[in-house]
Amino acid sequence: MNTECLVCQAKTVKQIVGKFKPEPRQAKEFFTKADYIITNSKSLSAPYISLLLHRLAKKTFATENLYADEKKEANELLYSQYENWQTLVNEAKNPLHLAAKLSVIGNIIDYGAHSVPDDILAEIETLLKKEFAIDDRCKMFDAINKAKSVLYIGDNAGEIVFDKLFIETLKHPNLTFVVRDEPIINDVTLQDANSIGLQDVCTVISNGHDAPSTLLENCSENLQSLFESADVVISKGQGNFEGLLNEKRVNLFFLLMTKCDLMANKLGVKKRDLVITENKRGNYGL
């Protein structure tokens, strides 16, 4: 954690209060408890502090799914255009490259990073014209073509519509998609994945934990085993990047849009850049 992370966490707290609009007494209580978490958790990772804050919000505002409406709307919006995206990909000069790019572009739908545009479809069209800052697609496809098993770690609802299209285009016979065990921000759960038929194109499993990231030491033994044994691991989103950037394993690929200067600097790119990068095996300047 550093100052930039702390500022972002404080912004998240204000966003939650703005969303639920509690009575002044309840708002004050939530702010006090959230401030205690932020102030006394500087030795923890940013994703874990975010987990604690959102668990507090669930308890305070008596809901297990803080962004249920937003997740449903994002899934429905993007899935309503699924046939159009399919046609665009199938008619592309290189369908796999375009499907992978759409998957990364979908990472804009992230309430935890305060990066959801007002007009999602318009922003997608704009980003389709944007070049990658780091583009290891060819390395990734080469590794996948040689792989007997692929583990694909998902990130957010809405975004998963493009993940489904990418997986459908890959046509890998042994691909497992990973979701969060419980609702956290707008991260994808089994319910979100099933609502767009993701289970029709791959195996879908829970990671056994509810952090807005993949913190392997907290995940299920099954997920840990699959992470070690899979020939290729695809990690979607900045949250998963933050949780896995110290991993040493080969054939780990990060697909994301950078949401903050701190993570952008670690990757050597700019904020809001599109990135597909092979893992540097923990060498991100930490």
Side-chain angles (χ1 to χ4, degrees):
M1 289 291 292
N2 64 15
T3 301
E4 186 175 345
C5 292
L6 294 174
V7 170
C8 187
Q9 300 291 1
K11 187 176 180 180
T12 293
V13 172
K14 291 180 180 179
Q15 176 177 288
I16 292 171
V17 170
K19 173 176 169 59
F20 287 95
K21 298 178 176 59
E23 295 296 322
R25 181 186 59 79
Q26 189 180 39
K28 182 179 179 180
E29 179 182 352
F30 179 67
F31 275 125
T32 299
K33 291 180 178 180
D35 183 65
Y36 180 86
I37 290 173
I38 294 172
T39 303
N40 292 277
S41 304
K42 293 180 181 179
S43 63
L44 300 177
S45 68
Y48 201 86
I49 292 179
S50 182
L51 167 62
L52 295 178
L53 290 173
H54 285 87
R55 282 179 177 175
L56 172 64
K58 286 182 182 182
K59 183 177 180 180
T60 302
F61 303 116
T63 176
E64 287 301 310
N65 199 346
L66 296 168
Y67 288 88
D69 292 340
E70 290 85 350
K71 292 201 294 180
K72 184 174 183 292
E73 289 172 6
N75 266 359
E76 290 179 350
L77 174 64
L78 267 67
Y79 198 60
S80 70
Q81 303 293 314
Y82 195 77
E83 290 185 3
N84 295 336
W85 304 124
Q86 271 185 319
T87 300
L88 186 68
V89 167
N90 292 336
E91 293 180 353
K93 182 178 180 180
N94 195 324
L96 267 179
H97 278 247
L98 180 55
K101 186 173 187 179
L102 281 168
S103 178
V104 174
I105 289 171
N107 195 223
I108 59 173
I109 307 172
D110 187 345
Y111 285 90
H114 323 291
S115 67
V116 182
D118 293 331
D119 190 333
I120 293 173
L121 296 181
E123 183 68 6
I124 290 169
E125 293 295 333
T126 298
L127 290 171
L128 276 169
K129 303 170 186 176
K130 186 181 179 75
E131 298 296 326
F132 278 95
I134 303 176
D135 187 359
D136 283 344
R137 279 179 292 187
C138 290
K139 288 183 180 179
M140 179 176 67
F141 295 142
D142 183 59
I144 291 172
N145 287 336
K146 297 174 182 176
K148 293 182 180 179
S149 60
V150 177
L151 188 70
Y152 194 122
I153 303 175
D155 194 13
N156 298 315
E159 175 180 348
I160 57 169
V161 172
F162 287 143
D163 292 327
K164 178 182 178 180
L165 180 56
F166 181 30
I167 292 166
E168 190 176 46
T169 308
L170 277 173
K171 294 183 174 66
H172 195 281
N174 185 16
L175 188 148
T176 300
F177 189 90
V178 183
V179 302
R180 312 297 188 219
D181 192 55
E182 297 178 19
I184 182 76
I185 319 180
N186 66 313
D187 289 39
V188 59
T189 63
L190 283 172
Q191 180 181 359
D192 304 317
N194 290 341
S195 72
I196 63 152
L198 189 61
Q199 72 278 7
D200 296 333
V201 298
C202 62
T203 300
V204 183
I205 66 167
S206 161
N207 70 357
H209 196 233
D210 60 336
S213 178
T214 301
L215 307 178
L216 283 173
E217 66 275 15
N218 299 111
C219 292
S220 67
E221 291 184 3
N222 181 45
L223 190 279
Q224 292 179 38
S225 177
L226 287 171
F227 185 87
E228 292 297 323
S229 64
D231 295 316
V232 173
V233 175
I234 297 171
S235 167
K236 278 297 301 295
Q238 182 172 290
N240 284 325
F241 172 68
E242 290 181 64
L244 297 172
L245 54 74
N246 286 318
E247 295 299 320
K248 307 296 184 182
R249 68 153 293 154
V250 298
N251 287 339
L252 167 59
F253 294 89
F254 295 112
L255 285 64
L256 69 149
M257 171 187 278
T258 49
K259 309 291 176 49
C260 69
D261 292 328
L262 179 63
M263 290 299 120
N265 290 339
K266 292 190 184 302
L267 286 162
V269 300
K270 297 177 181 178
K271 185 177 176 180
R272 293 188 62 79
D273 271 349
L274 306 179
V275 171
I276 294 182
T277 182
E278 186 176 22
N279 182 32
K280 293 181 181 178
R281 304 186 197 180
N283 186 23
Y284 288 98
L286 292 179

